[in-house]
Amino acid sequence: MPEGLKLDIPRLEDGAAMWRIARDSRTLDLNSSYSYLLWCRDFADTSVVARDAGGDPVGFVSGYLRPRSPRTLVVWQVAVDEAQRGRGLAAAMLDGLSSRVAATLGIDGIETTITPDNTASNRLFSRYAERHSAPLEREVLFEAGVFPDEGHDSEVLYRIGPAPSLVALGQAAGGRP
């Protein structure tokens, strides 16, 4: 974890900062401000914020358990405030979140989608799989043509797991079998 920062569970009042960080990333699809508030209320247990020394959010990972595969954490968005980039914060948040969710809810892998041109995210999730000695499968989930808005690239599904470290955490903490 980068010095001076700590991981925390998102609170409702973090929604506005999460929306701003996502907006300012200039790479994420920006959801409505309402959705970030809702995320903090309904999906806080499967999401994380990084806080600076003053307690303000400087990064977040939003996620949820996949309804048809509840041992899978779907990572929706990863965003880091521009001033905090290059310090390994995205990897620290992803590791911290997946470890916490494995220990409490019993996940054994993660999924996310990434556009082919998003080099930083491709690297983040590939390195995550390496760190956790987990298999990584990639396949196009949504072709560009299925999106109603023009100019949206295809979304490639990254399926990582089972990850031995996540399985062990879930078993040690009595997470779901």
Side-chain angles (χ1 to χ4, degrees):
M1 190 66 195
E3 189 175 339
L5 303 178
K6 70 173 191 164
L7 298 182
D8 197 8
I9 295 174
R11 299 184 298 255
L12 186 61
E13 58 269 20
D14 296 327
M18 291 168 64
W19 179 84
R20 180 193 53 78
I21 293 166
R23 180 199 65 199
D24 294 350
S25 75
R26 295 180 302 279
T27 57
L28 293 176
D29 288 339
L30 185 62
N31 299 301
S32 71
S33 58
Y34 173 83
S35 70
Y36 291 93
L37 296 172
L38 195 61
W39 211 277
C40 290
R41 187 190 83 160
D42 291 343
F43 299 104
D45 290 341
T46 53
S47 300
V48 68
V49 293
R51 296 186 191 284
D52 64 14
D56 295 322
V58 295
F60 72 89
V61 177
S62 57
Y64 62 91
L65 294 184
R66 189 164 174 227
R68 291 192 177 177
S69 182
R71 296 183 56 82
T72 301
L73 174 67
V74 176
V75 175
W76 182 258
Q77 290 187 316
V78 177
V80 175
D81 190 80
E82 190 169 6
Q84 299 294 332
R85 292 184 191 150
R87 301 179 62 198
L89 181 55
M93 289 189 301
L94 189 56
D95 284 346
L97 174 62
S98 62
S99 294
R100 175 171 48 88
V101 176
T104 58
L105 300 174
I107 64 161
D108 56 24
I110 65 172
E111 290 184 354
T112 195
T113 62
I114 305 170
T115 56
D117 65 341
N118 190 334
T119 305
S121 288
N122 284 296
R123 185 173 32 245
L124 173 67
F125 285 92
S126 295
R127 288 182 178 166
Y128 176 90
E130 290 171 14
R131 279 193 311 279
H132 292 271
S133 302
L136 168 60
E137 298 174 10
R138 296 177 188 93
E139 66 183 80
V140 174
L141 181 63
F142 301 121
E143 294 284 350
V146 301
F147 290 94
D149 49 332
E150 287 190 34
H152 199 294
D153 291 332
S154 295
E155 292 278 349
V156 177
L157 174 66
Y158 279 53
R159 185 177 293 122
I160 302 170
S165 60
L166 300 180
V167 171
L169 281 169
Q171 290 172 344
R176 284 187 297 195

